[in-house]
Amino acid sequence: MTDTSTASAGSVPLAPRAWPLLGHALPLLRDPLAFIMSLSGYREMVRVRLGPSSAVMICDPDLTRQVFLNDRTFDKGGPIYDRIREVIGDGLSTCAYPLHRRQRRLCQPSFHPTRLAGYGAVFARAAAAKAGSWRDGDVLDVTQEMMTLTTRATMETMFSGALPAETMQRCLADTAVIVSAFFRRMMTPALLRRLPTRQKRRYDDARTRLAATIAEIIAERRADPTDHADLLSTLVAAVDEESEDGRRQLNDAELADEALTFFLGGMETTAITLAWALHLLATNPDVQHRLKAETDRVLAGKKLDPAHLPSLGLASRVVTETLRLYPPAWMMTRVVREDAELGGVRFKGGSTIVLSPYLLHRRADLYDEPDRFDPDRWLDAQPDRATYIPFGAGARKCIGDQFALTEAILALTAIVDRWALTPVGDQPFQPKVETSLSSRGLRLRLTERRSSGAGDAEGSAAAPLSASVQPSTQPGAAACPVKHGK
Ligand code: HEM
């Protein structure tokens, strides 16, 4: 029941500069981050219009947390998820509340700490192989390089057997087309989205091809159901003991949706986190210098291994701080399922709510010098679960957070151990705002330095990474030094 003393959502102040028909679509498309930050003066919430529809943007950390924690009322939905659903159907990240708990139970074993230790060994090898493939003086297309690294690591952890290079290349190209189309499609009215433009054809082709590749891999796995100790094996074997007959498993269509969800959800987010981390290190040589000292001390001539993770404190803080400054999921949407009250405002069922980690992470009243890269702000402080939300919170919190952190910390260590990174040119690099906060176009120059061991981890691109995907007997061996609370 709603309290009659609450105000209606229509009384929430409207952000300035709304155009008659377009609303705020132009500033949102032209410079979304500047637009979002222009709203930080609103302490609780503000209304934003996109064409004829409007959404309420939550600016307050406690109200944001309330939305995250009450996922029955504030359900996954809204323009971002509608577009993502076009590609991954009702996978774990897009399904609505009534399906979610069962899907989460079926997917959770794939991310159990015992599996993570095995994945960590793959990440260490993949990173060493990537760092070993560069030459002194190379200028890297950093995002592209990190995408191939995380695609390879994700493929190896998900599908263990190395895929043919051509299939991998195709998946990478299709993924790039799909993720870069999401944001534009989200901002485009439905009628225009259906026009048979060249862009739409490319997007449709990429979607169809990627889905067919994943379906092929699943069909092969069904034909040979032995445990490959990878993510797909765990998904195929997962049984929902809380289902009616206690034996419910994922069918082929659900498996394909989940595999695509993990593939798309895990690969790009981790790649751009790494790219931003390398950018921040290149522009903060003092931190880079200290990170190299850490890799020298921790590796001391030995090859990089997930067991080193607890000692990689600075690398871990660099990743935490990178995710604060450049949270890949810079904006998330929710749909209100039934009339509800939030922060003294009545929301009607069907309303759209927008949450923004980027806005909270850069608010001057929540962080000292919020725009400054300062990994040491995390030296004595654990990330606060209301004001630090790169992985969301509550029941829909990222299932791959530890997977991503493990991968990012190990990759950063392997790279900095072997290479000094410097910016190319003297222009500040700006994010390309898409569904994620993309680092597309970022270039950095490499200078080789003496490696203390990470790059020697059988660092040839030809090394079969899948050999090391084994379930570990040491629970928590890959535990990350940074814990992100629920
Ligand atoms: C740095 C890397 C990553 C970031 C920043 C990130 C961020 C997020 C965020 C913010 C959410 C919550 C979205 C919402 O509530 O609307 C989420 C959910 C999710 N993420 Fe990640 N993610 C990352 C890596 C990964 C990886 C590596 C995987 C899988 C291999 C993954 C799979 C998922 C899935 C399946 C969900 C949906 C969970 C659910 O609804 O139960 N993510 N992620």
Side-chain angles (χ1 to χ4, degrees), residues 68 76 81 92-93 100 104 111 261-262 265-266 269-270 273 323 328-329 332 334 389-392 395-400 403-404:
F68 276 134
K76 279 278 176 98
Y81 289 106
L92 180 62
S93 71
H100 177 257
R104 183 94 186 192
F111 295 90
T261 297
F262 294 149
T269 43
T270 314
T273 301
L323 285 166
M332 296 169 232
R334 291 292 189 266
I389 49 166
F391 293 107
R396 306 300 301 241
K397 188 178 178 212
C398 180
I399 199 170
F403 181 104

PDB file of all heavy atoms in Angstrom, residues 68 76 81 92-93 100 104 111 261-262 265-266 269-270 273 323 328-329 332 334 389-392 395-400 403-404, ligand 1:
ATOM      1  N   PHE A  68      18.689  -1.708  -5.517  1.00  0.00           N
ATOM      2  CA  PHE A  68      19.406  -2.970  -5.765  1.00  0.00           C
ATOM      3  C   PHE A  68      18.847  -4.103  -4.898  1.00  0.00           C
ATOM      4  O   PHE A  68      18.688  -5.225  -5.351  1.00  0.00           O
ATOM      5  CB  PHE A  68      20.888  -2.820  -5.439  1.00  0.00           C
ATOM      6  CG  PHE A  68      21.715  -2.238  -6.556  1.00  0.00           C
ATOM      7  CD1 PHE A  68      22.641  -1.221  -6.312  1.00  0.00           C
ATOM      8  CD2 PHE A  68      21.607  -2.718  -7.852  1.00  0.00           C
ATOM      9  CE1 PHE A  68      23.426  -0.701  -7.326  1.00  0.00           C
ATOM     10  CE2 PHE A  68      22.388  -2.203  -8.883  1.00  0.00           C
ATOM     11  CZ  PHE A  68      23.294  -1.192  -8.611  1.00  0.00           C
ATOM     12  N   LYS A  76      15.001  -6.108 -13.148  1.00  0.00           N
ATOM     13  CA  LYS A  76      15.797  -5.866 -14.353  1.00  0.00           C
ATOM     14  C   LYS A  76      14.855  -5.474 -15.478  1.00  0.00           C
ATOM     15  O   LYS A  76      13.836  -6.134 -15.694  1.00  0.00           O
ATOM     16  CB  LYS A  76      16.534  -7.136 -14.756  1.00  0.00           C
ATOM     17  CG  LYS A  76      17.804  -7.401 -13.977  1.00  0.00           C
ATOM     18  CD  LYS A  76      18.957  -6.614 -14.540  1.00  0.00           C
ATOM     19  CE  LYS A  76      20.215  -6.784 -13.734  1.00  0.00           C
ATOM     20  NZ  LYS A  76      21.162  -7.749 -14.254  1.00  0.00           N
ATOM     21  N   TYR A  81      18.418  -3.142 -20.763  1.00  0.00           N
ATOM     22  CA  TYR A  81      18.206  -4.591 -20.745  1.00  0.00           C
ATOM     23  C   TYR A  81      17.330  -5.055 -21.901  1.00  0.00           C
ATOM     24  O   TYR A  81      17.478  -6.188 -22.362  1.00  0.00           O
ATOM     25  CB  TYR A  81      17.691  -5.052 -19.379  1.00  0.00           C
ATOM     26  CG  TYR A  81      18.812  -4.937 -18.380  1.00  0.00           C
ATOM     27  CD1 TYR A  81      18.835  -3.933 -17.429  1.00  0.00           C
ATOM     28  CD2 TYR A  81      19.905  -5.786 -18.469  1.00  0.00           C
ATOM     29  CE1 TYR A  81      19.914  -3.802 -16.570  1.00  0.00           C
ATOM     30  CE2 TYR A  81      20.980  -5.658 -17.622  1.00  0.00           C
ATOM     31  CZ  TYR A  81      20.981  -4.663 -16.671  1.00  0.00           C
ATOM     32  OH  TYR A  81      22.052  -4.530 -15.851  1.00  0.00           O
ATOM     33  N   LEU A  92      20.965 -15.163 -17.357  1.00  0.00           N
ATOM     34  CA  LEU A  92      20.975 -14.747 -15.949  1.00  0.00           C
ATOM     35  C   LEU A  92      20.933 -13.232 -15.772  1.00  0.00           C
ATOM     36  O   LEU A  92      20.273 -12.718 -14.875  1.00  0.00           O
ATOM     37  CB  LEU A  92      22.240 -15.323 -15.278  1.00  0.00           C
ATOM     38  CG  LEU A  92      22.424 -14.991 -13.807  1.00  0.00           C
ATOM     39  CD1 LEU A  92      21.280 -15.554 -12.968  1.00  0.00           C
ATOM     40  CD2 LEU A  92      23.759 -15.533 -13.301  1.00  0.00           C
ATOM     41  N   SER A  93      21.634 -12.484 -16.626  1.00  0.00           N
ATOM     42  CA  SER A  93      21.720 -11.040 -16.376  1.00  0.00           C
ATOM     43  C   SER A  93      20.482 -10.289 -16.857  1.00  0.00           C
ATOM     44  O   SER A  93      20.251  -9.163 -16.444  1.00  0.00           O
ATOM     45  CB  SER A  93      22.972 -10.457 -17.039  1.00  0.00           C
ATOM     46  OG  SER A  93      22.805 -10.447 -18.417  1.00  0.00           O
ATOM     47  N   HIS A 100      14.775 -15.512 -11.825  1.00  0.00           N
ATOM     48  CA  HIS A 100      16.173 -15.255 -11.481  1.00  0.00           C
ATOM     49  C   HIS A 100      16.801 -16.217 -10.470  1.00  0.00           C
ATOM     50  O   HIS A 100      17.890 -16.736 -10.687  1.00  0.00           O
ATOM     51  CB  HIS A 100      16.342 -13.812 -10.995  1.00  0.00           C
ATOM     52  CG  HIS A 100      17.741 -13.523 -10.568  1.00  0.00           C
ATOM     53  ND1 HIS A 100      18.133 -13.462  -9.252  1.00  0.00           N
ATOM     54  CD2 HIS A 100      18.876 -13.360 -11.304  1.00  0.00           C
ATOM     55  CE1 HIS A 100      19.430 -13.230  -9.196  1.00  0.00           C
ATOM     56  NE2 HIS A 100      19.905 -13.167 -10.412  1.00  0.00           N
ATOM     57  N   ARG A 104      20.139 -18.391 -11.049  1.00  0.00           N
ATOM     58  CA  ARG A 104      21.349 -18.080 -10.275  1.00  0.00           C
ATOM     59  C   ARG A 104      21.869 -19.349  -9.581  1.00  0.00           C
ATOM     60  O   ARG A 104      23.055 -19.611  -9.554  1.00  0.00           O
ATOM     61  CB  ARG A 104      21.027 -16.970  -9.263  1.00  0.00           C
ATOM     62  CG  ARG A 104      22.174 -16.471  -8.433  1.00  0.00           C
ATOM     63  CD  ARG A 104      22.839 -15.240  -9.032  1.00  0.00           C
ATOM     64  NE  ARG A 104      24.023 -14.869  -8.280  1.00  0.00           N
ATOM     65  CZ  ARG A 104      24.680 -13.732  -8.407  1.00  0.00           C
ATOM     66  NH1 ARG A 104      24.306 -12.827  -9.272  1.00  0.00           N
ATOM     67  NH2 ARG A 104      25.746 -13.483  -7.702  1.00  0.00           N
ATOM     68  N   PHE A 111      31.052 -20.550 -10.614  1.00  0.00           N
ATOM     69  CA  PHE A 111      31.906 -19.492 -10.065  1.00  0.00           C
ATOM     70  C   PHE A 111      32.355 -19.819  -8.640  1.00  0.00           C
ATOM     71  O   PHE A 111      32.780 -18.947  -7.898  1.00  0.00           O
ATOM     72  CB  PHE A 111      31.169 -18.142 -10.116  1.00  0.00           C
ATOM     73  CG  PHE A 111      30.924 -17.716 -11.527  1.00  0.00           C
ATOM     74  CD1 PHE A 111      29.752 -18.079 -12.182  1.00  0.00           C
ATOM     75  CD2 PHE A 111      31.878 -17.008 -12.233  1.00  0.00           C
ATOM     76  CE1 PHE A 111      29.531 -17.734 -13.504  1.00  0.00           C
ATOM     77  CE2 PHE A 111      31.674 -16.660 -13.553  1.00  0.00           C
ATOM     78  CZ  PHE A 111      30.496 -17.015 -14.190  1.00  0.00           C
ATOM     79  N   THR A 261      25.662 -15.029 -22.261  1.00  0.00           N
ATOM     80  CA  THR A 261      25.670 -14.050 -21.175  1.00  0.00           C
ATOM     81  C   THR A 261      27.066 -13.940 -20.577  1.00  0.00           C
ATOM     82  O   THR A 261      27.604 -12.846 -20.403  1.00  0.00           O
ATOM     83  CB  THR A 261      24.687 -14.486 -20.062  1.00  0.00           C
ATOM     84  OG1 THR A 261      23.389 -14.506 -20.608  1.00  0.00           O
ATOM     85  CG2 THR A 261      24.729 -13.550 -18.878  1.00  0.00           C
ATOM     86  N   PHE A 262      27.673 -15.083 -20.261  1.00  0.00           N
ATOM     87  CA  PHE A 262      29.000 -15.051 -19.644  1.00  0.00           C
ATOM     88  C   PHE A 262      30.028 -14.523 -20.630  1.00  0.00           C
ATOM     89  O   PHE A 262      30.933 -13.783 -20.268  1.00  0.00           O
ATOM     90  CB  PHE A 262      29.415 -16.447 -19.157  1.00  0.00           C
ATOM     91  CG  PHE A 262      28.550 -16.946 -18.035  1.00  0.00           C
ATOM     92  CD1 PHE A 262      28.295 -18.297 -17.879  1.00  0.00           C
ATOM     93  CD2 PHE A 262      27.984 -16.072 -17.131  1.00  0.00           C
ATOM     94  CE1 PHE A 262      27.490 -18.760 -16.852  1.00  0.00           C
ATOM     95  CE2 PHE A 262      27.177 -16.519 -16.104  1.00  0.00           C
ATOM     96  CZ  PHE A 262      26.929 -17.865 -15.968  1.00  0.00           C
ATOM     97  N   GLY A 265      29.146 -10.778 -21.178  1.00  0.00           N
ATOM     98  CA  GLY A 265      29.205 -10.035 -19.912  1.00  0.00           C
ATOM     99  C   GLY A 265      30.613  -9.969 -19.374  1.00  0.00           C
ATOM    100  O   GLY A 265      31.007  -8.984 -18.745  1.00  0.00           O
ATOM    101  N   GLY A 266      31.388 -11.030 -19.609  1.00  0.00           N
ATOM    102  CA  GLY A 266      32.671 -11.111 -18.947  1.00  0.00           C
ATOM    103  C   GLY A 266      33.828 -10.556 -19.739  1.00  0.00           C
ATOM    104  O   GLY A 266      34.780 -10.017 -19.184  1.00  0.00           O
ATOM    105  N   THR A 269      33.801  -6.217 -20.376  1.00  0.00           N
ATOM    106  CA  THR A 269      33.945  -5.458 -19.126  1.00  0.00           C
ATOM    107  C   THR A 269      35.361  -5.597 -18.563  1.00  0.00           C
ATOM    108  O   THR A 269      35.977  -4.608 -18.162  1.00  0.00           O
ATOM    109  CB  THR A 269      32.942  -5.972 -18.073  1.00  0.00           C
ATOM    110  OG1 THR A 269      32.943  -7.393 -18.118  1.00  0.00           O
ATOM    111  CG2 THR A 269      31.559  -5.443 -18.304  1.00  0.00           C
ATOM    112  N   THR A 270      35.876  -6.831 -18.574  1.00  0.00           N
ATOM    113  CA  THR A 270      37.208  -7.036 -17.993  1.00  0.00           C
ATOM    114  C   THR A 270      38.280  -6.426 -18.897  1.00  0.00           C
ATOM    115  O   THR A 270      39.257  -5.849 -18.410  1.00  0.00           O
ATOM    116  CB  THR A 270      37.472  -8.543 -17.777  1.00  0.00           C
ATOM    117  OG1 THR A 270      36.317  -9.111 -17.162  1.00  0.00           O
ATOM    118  CG2 THR A 270      38.671  -8.776 -16.884  1.00  0.00           C
ATOM    119  N   THR A 273      38.322  -2.694 -18.349  1.00  0.00           N
ATOM    120  CA  THR A 273      38.893  -2.389 -17.026  1.00  0.00           C
ATOM    121  C   THR A 273      40.421  -2.430 -17.123  1.00  0.00           C
ATOM    122  O   THR A 273      41.119  -1.541 -16.617  1.00  0.00           O
ATOM    123  CB  THR A 273      38.410  -3.428 -15.985  1.00  0.00           C
ATOM    124  OG1 THR A 273      36.991  -3.388 -15.940  1.00  0.00           O
ATOM    125  CG2 THR A 273      38.985  -3.145 -14.610  1.00  0.00           C
ATOM    126  N   LEU A 323      38.187   0.709 -11.311  1.00  0.00           N
ATOM    127  CA  LEU A 323      36.738   0.454 -11.394  1.00  0.00           C
ATOM    128  C   LEU A 323      35.923   1.581 -10.762  1.00  0.00           C
ATOM    129  O   LEU A 323      34.756   1.767 -11.076  1.00  0.00           O
ATOM    130  CB  LEU A 323      36.407  -0.881 -10.719  1.00  0.00           C
ATOM    131  CG  LEU A 323      36.783  -2.122 -11.529  1.00  0.00           C
ATOM    132  CD1 LEU A 323      36.730  -3.374 -10.655  1.00  0.00           C
ATOM    133  CD2 LEU A 323      35.848  -2.277 -12.723  1.00  0.00           C
ATOM    134  N   PRO A 328      32.834   0.044 -15.897  1.00  0.00           N
ATOM    135  CA  PRO A 328      32.326  -0.286 -17.241  1.00  0.00           C
ATOM    136  C   PRO A 328      30.810  -0.165 -17.323  1.00  0.00           C
ATOM    137  O   PRO A 328      30.284   0.378 -18.286  1.00  0.00           O
ATOM    138  CB  PRO A 328      32.788  -1.732 -17.434  1.00  0.00           C
ATOM    139  CG  PRO A 328      33.992  -1.869 -16.565  1.00  0.00           C
ATOM    140  CD  PRO A 328      33.718  -0.994 -15.372  1.00  0.00           C
ATOM    141  N   ALA A 329      30.104  -0.686 -16.291  1.00  0.00           N
ATOM    142  CA  ALA A 329      28.641  -0.519 -16.276  1.00  0.00           C
ATOM    143  C   ALA A 329      28.356   0.840 -15.623  1.00  0.00           C
ATOM    144  O   ALA A 329      28.029   0.922 -14.453  1.00  0.00           O
ATOM    145  CB  ALA A 329      28.001  -1.647 -15.477  1.00  0.00           C
ATOM    146  N   MET A 332      22.844   1.747 -15.157  1.00  0.00           N
ATOM    147  CA  MET A 332      21.997   0.546 -15.195  1.00  0.00           C
ATOM    148  C   MET A 332      20.540   0.988 -15.095  1.00  0.00           C
ATOM    149  O   MET A 332      20.268   2.036 -14.514  1.00  0.00           O
ATOM    150  CB  MET A 332      22.301  -0.363 -13.999  1.00  0.00           C
ATOM    151  CG  MET A 332      23.697  -0.907 -13.995  1.00  0.00           C
ATOM    152  SD  MET A 332      24.055  -1.698 -12.416  1.00  0.00           S
ATOM    153  CE  MET A 332      25.570  -0.879 -11.984  1.00  0.00           C
ATOM    154  N   ARG A 334      16.326  -0.066 -14.245  1.00  0.00           N
ATOM    155  CA  ARG A 334      15.385  -0.981 -13.603  1.00  0.00           C
ATOM    156  C   ARG A 334      13.970  -0.578 -13.993  1.00  0.00           C
ATOM    157  O   ARG A 334      13.713   0.597 -14.263  1.00  0.00           O
ATOM    158  CB  ARG A 334      15.471  -0.888 -12.063  1.00  0.00           C
ATOM    159  CG  ARG A 334      16.769  -1.419 -11.466  1.00  0.00           C
ATOM    160  CD  ARG A 334      16.866  -2.921 -11.636  1.00  0.00           C
ATOM    161  NE  ARG A 334      17.972  -3.503 -10.919  1.00  0.00           N
ATOM    162  CZ  ARG A 334      19.181  -3.740 -11.434  1.00  0.00           C
ATOM    163  NH1 ARG A 334      19.453  -3.405 -12.678  1.00  0.00           N
ATOM    164  NH2 ARG A 334      20.114  -4.313 -10.711  1.00  0.00           N
ATOM    165  N   ILE A 389      30.086   0.760  -6.284  1.00  0.00           N
ATOM    166  CA  ILE A 389      29.193  -0.281  -6.825  1.00  0.00           C
ATOM    167  C   ILE A 389      29.523  -0.678  -8.271  1.00  0.00           C
ATOM    168  O   ILE A 389      28.623  -0.791  -9.108  1.00  0.00           O
ATOM    169  CB  ILE A 389      27.720   0.191  -6.739  1.00  0.00           C
ATOM    170  CG1 ILE A 389      27.573   1.613  -7.299  1.00  0.00           C
ATOM    171  CG2 ILE A 389      27.186   0.098  -5.327  1.00  0.00           C
ATOM    172  CD1 ILE A 389      26.125   2.031  -7.561  1.00  0.00           C
ATOM    173  N   PRO A 390      30.802  -0.917  -8.598  1.00  0.00           N
ATOM    174  CA  PRO A 390      31.091  -1.280  -9.993  1.00  0.00           C
ATOM    175  C   PRO A 390      30.466  -2.599 -10.392  1.00  0.00           C
ATOM    176  O   PRO A 390      30.266  -2.864 -11.584  1.00  0.00           O
ATOM    177  CB  PRO A 390      32.624  -1.379 -10.026  1.00  0.00           C
ATOM    178  CG  PRO A 390      33.028  -1.639  -8.618  1.00  0.00           C
ATOM    179  CD  PRO A 390      32.007  -0.949  -7.758  1.00  0.00           C
ATOM    180  N   PHE A 391      30.161  -3.459  -9.402  1.00  0.00           N
ATOM    181  CA  PHE A 391      29.557  -4.754  -9.711  1.00  0.00           C
ATOM    182  C   PHE A 391      28.081  -4.808  -9.308  1.00  0.00           C
ATOM    183  O   PHE A 391      27.498  -5.887  -9.237  1.00  0.00           O
ATOM    184  CB  PHE A 391      30.320  -5.871  -8.985  1.00  0.00           C
ATOM    185  CG  PHE A 391      31.733  -6.051  -9.487  1.00  0.00           C
ATOM    186  CD1 PHE A 391      32.817  -5.640  -8.725  1.00  0.00           C
ATOM    187  CD2 PHE A 391      31.981  -6.621 -10.729  1.00  0.00           C
ATOM    188  CE1 PHE A 391      34.123  -5.802  -9.194  1.00  0.00           C
ATOM    189  CE2 PHE A 391      33.279  -6.783 -11.203  1.00  0.00           C
ATOM    190  CZ  PHE A 391      34.352  -6.379 -10.431  1.00  0.00           C
ATOM    191  N   GLY A 392      27.476  -3.647  -9.030  1.00  0.00           N
ATOM    192  CA  GLY A 392      26.087  -3.635  -8.571  1.00  0.00           C
ATOM    193  C   GLY A 392      26.016  -4.141  -7.130  1.00  0.00           C
ATOM    194  O   GLY A 392      27.023  -4.099  -6.398  1.00  0.00           O
ATOM    195  N   ALA A 395      20.924  -9.298  -4.869  1.00  0.00           N
ATOM    196  CA  ALA A 395      20.806 -10.607  -5.520  1.00  0.00           C
ATOM    197  C   ALA A 395      21.270 -10.569  -6.977  1.00  0.00           C
ATOM    198  O   ALA A 395      21.648 -11.596  -7.530  1.00  0.00           O
ATOM    199  CB  ALA A 395      19.364 -11.076  -5.461  1.00  0.00           C
ATOM    200  N   ARG A 396      21.238  -9.375  -7.620  1.00  0.00           N
ATOM    201  CA  ARG A 396      21.655  -9.285  -9.019  1.00  0.00           C
ATOM    202  C   ARG A 396      23.106  -8.834  -9.149  1.00  0.00           C
ATOM    203  O   ARG A 396      23.547  -8.467 -10.250  1.00  0.00           O
ATOM    204  CB  ARG A 396      20.755  -8.302  -9.788  1.00  0.00           C
ATOM    205  CG  ARG A 396      19.266  -8.538  -9.720  1.00  0.00           C
ATOM    206  CD  ARG A 396      18.789  -9.862 -10.242  1.00  0.00           C
ATOM    207  NE  ARG A 396      19.074 -10.198 -11.600  1.00  0.00           N
ATOM    208  CZ  ARG A 396      18.147 -10.435 -12.551  1.00  0.00           C
ATOM    209  NH1 ARG A 396      16.862 -10.320 -12.274  1.00  0.00           N
ATOM    210  NH2 ARG A 396      18.499 -10.816 -13.758  1.00  0.00           N
ATOM    211  N   LYS A 397      23.836  -8.830  -8.036  1.00  0.00           N
ATOM    212  CA  LYS A 397      25.249  -8.425  -8.111  1.00  0.00           C
ATOM    213  C   LYS A 397      25.997  -9.337  -9.087  1.00  0.00           C
ATOM    214  O   LYS A 397      25.661 -10.524  -9.214  1.00  0.00           O
ATOM    215  CB  LYS A 397      25.884  -8.524  -6.721  1.00  0.00           C
ATOM    216  CG  LYS A 397      27.264  -7.948  -6.671  1.00  0.00           C
ATOM    217  CD  LYS A 397      27.844  -8.025  -5.276  1.00  0.00           C
ATOM    218  CE  LYS A 397      29.259  -7.478  -5.324  1.00  0.00           C
ATOM    219  NZ  LYS A 397      30.120  -8.138  -4.359  1.00  0.00           N
ATOM    220  N   CYS A 398      27.009  -8.791  -9.723  1.00  0.00           N
ATOM    221  CA  CYS A 398      27.777  -9.537 -10.722  1.00  0.00           C
ATOM    222  C   CYS A 398      28.227 -10.901 -10.182  1.00  0.00           C
ATOM    223  O   CYS A 398      28.885 -10.968  -9.151  1.00  0.00           O
ATOM    224  CB  CYS A 398      28.992  -8.712 -11.124  1.00  0.00           C
ATOM    225  SG  CYS A 398      30.009  -9.545 -12.352  1.00  0.00           S
ATOM    226  N   ILE A 399      27.904 -11.946 -10.912  1.00  0.00           N
ATOM    227  CA  ILE A 399      28.288 -13.294 -10.483  1.00  0.00           C
ATOM    228  C   ILE A 399      29.771 -13.533 -10.795  1.00  0.00           C
ATOM    229  O   ILE A 399      30.419 -14.397 -10.210  1.00  0.00           O
ATOM    230  CB  ILE A 399      27.402 -14.354 -11.176  1.00  0.00           C
ATOM    231  CG1 ILE A 399      27.449 -15.680 -10.433  1.00  0.00           C
ATOM    232  CG2 ILE A 399      27.797 -14.551 -12.641  1.00  0.00           C
ATOM    233  CD1 ILE A 399      26.408 -16.688 -10.923  1.00  0.00           C
ATOM    234  N   GLY A 400      30.313 -12.709 -11.714  1.00  0.00           N
ATOM    235  CA  GLY A 400      31.699 -12.913 -12.158  1.00  0.00           C
ATOM    236  C   GLY A 400      32.679 -11.945 -11.516  1.00  0.00           C
ATOM    237  O   GLY A 400      33.783 -11.767 -12.024  1.00  0.00           O
ATOM    238  N   PHE A 403      35.948 -13.585 -10.483  1.00  0.00           N
ATOM    239  CA  PHE A 403      36.533 -14.061 -11.743  1.00  0.00           C
ATOM    240  C   PHE A 403      37.242 -12.886 -12.426  1.00  0.00           C
ATOM    241  O   PHE A 403      38.412 -12.976 -12.812  1.00  0.00           O
ATOM    242  CB  PHE A 403      35.381 -14.597 -12.593  1.00  0.00           C
ATOM    243  CG  PHE A 403      35.704 -15.179 -13.940  1.00  0.00           C
ATOM    244  CD1 PHE A 403      35.695 -16.551 -14.128  1.00  0.00           C
ATOM    245  CD2 PHE A 403      35.930 -14.372 -15.043  1.00  0.00           C
ATOM    246  CE1 PHE A 403      35.931 -17.106 -15.391  1.00  0.00           C
ATOM    247  CE2 PHE A 403      36.178 -14.914 -16.295  1.00  0.00           C
ATOM    248  CZ  PHE A 403      36.166 -16.293 -16.470  1.00  0.00           C
ATOM    249  N   ALA A 404      36.536 -11.755 -12.530  1.00  0.00           N
ATOM    250  CA  ALA A 404      37.082 -10.584 -13.227  1.00  0.00           C
ATOM    251  C   ALA A 404      38.258  -9.983 -12.460  1.00  0.00           C
ATOM    252  O   ALA A 404      39.278  -9.602 -13.051  1.00  0.00           O
ATOM    253  CB  ALA A 404      35.989  -9.533 -13.400  1.00  0.00           C
TER     254      ALA A 404
HETATM  255  C1  HEM B   1      35.350  -5.847 -14.444  1.00  0.00           C
HETATM  256  C2  HEM B   1      34.498  -6.705 -14.951  1.00  0.00           C
HETATM  257  C3  HEM B   1      33.025  -6.691 -14.689  1.00  0.00           C
HETATM  258  C4  HEM B   1      32.208  -5.666 -14.307  1.00  0.00           C
HETATM  259  C5  HEM B   1      32.572  -4.227 -14.021  1.00  0.00           C
HETATM  260  C6  HEM B   1      30.865  -6.209 -14.195  1.00  0.00           C
HETATM  261  C7  HEM B   1      29.763  -5.474 -13.802  1.00  0.00           C
HETATM  262  C8  HEM B   1      28.527  -6.030 -13.556  1.00  0.00           C
HETATM  263  C9  HEM B   1      27.404  -5.315 -12.992  1.00  0.00           C
HETATM  264  C10 HEM B   1      27.399  -3.849 -12.598  1.00  0.00           C
HETATM  265  C11 HEM B   1      26.374  -6.183 -12.890  1.00  0.00           C
HETATM  266  C12 HEM B   1      24.993  -5.882 -12.313  1.00  0.00           C
HETATM  267  C13 HEM B   1      24.107  -5.257 -13.348  1.00  0.00           C
HETATM  268  C14 HEM B   1      22.788  -4.771 -12.781  1.00  0.00           C
HETATM  269  O1  HEM B   1      22.508  -4.958 -11.601  1.00  0.00           O
HETATM  270  O2  HEM B   1      22.026  -4.183 -13.556  1.00  0.00           O
HETATM  271  C15 HEM B   1      26.819  -7.451 -13.417  1.00  0.00           C
HETATM  272  C16 HEM B   1      26.037  -8.583 -13.498  1.00  0.00           C
HETATM  273  C17 HEM B   1      26.468  -9.742 -14.082  1.00  0.00           C
HETATM  274  N1  HEM B   1      27.738 -10.034 -14.532  1.00  0.00           N
HETATM  275 FE1  HEM B   1      29.332  -8.831 -14.451  1.00  0.00          FE
HETATM  276  N2  HEM B   1      30.898  -7.536 -14.532  1.00  0.00           N
HETATM  277  C18 HEM B   1      32.195  -7.878 -14.819  1.00  0.00           C
HETATM  278  C19 HEM B   1      32.667  -9.124 -15.170  1.00  0.00           C
HETATM  279  C20 HEM B   1      31.877 -10.235 -15.347  1.00  0.00           C
HETATM  280  C21 HEM B   1      32.357 -11.540 -15.710  1.00  0.00           C
HETATM  281  C22 HEM B   1      33.828 -11.901 -15.881  1.00  0.00           C
HETATM  282  C23 HEM B   1      31.251 -12.346 -15.858  1.00  0.00           C
HETATM  283  C24 HEM B   1      31.170 -13.794 -16.225  1.00  0.00           C
HETATM  284  C25 HEM B   1      32.150 -14.543 -16.641  1.00  0.00           C
HETATM  285  C26 HEM B   1      30.092 -11.539 -15.554  1.00  0.00           C
HETATM  286  C27 HEM B   1      28.797 -11.982 -15.596  1.00  0.00           C
HETATM  287  C28 HEM B   1      27.723 -11.293 -15.055  1.00  0.00           C
HETATM  288  C29 HEM B   1      26.377 -11.859 -14.941  1.00  0.00           C
HETATM  289  C30 HEM B   1      25.928 -13.229 -15.404  1.00  0.00           C
HETATM  290  C31 HEM B   1      25.600 -10.886 -14.312  1.00  0.00           C
HETATM  291  C32 HEM B   1      24.116 -11.003 -13.934  1.00  0.00           C
HETATM  292  C33 HEM B   1      24.006 -11.512 -12.503  1.00  0.00           C
HETATM  293  C34 HEM B   1      22.563 -11.685 -12.024  1.00  0.00           C
HETATM  294  O3  HEM B   1      21.686 -10.935 -12.465  1.00  0.00           O
HETATM  295  O4  HEM B   1      22.356 -12.559 -11.179  1.00  0.00           O
HETATM  296  N3  HEM B   1      30.509 -10.271 -15.254  1.00  0.00           N
HETATM  297  N4  HEM B   1      28.145  -7.324 -13.812  1.00  0.00           N
END
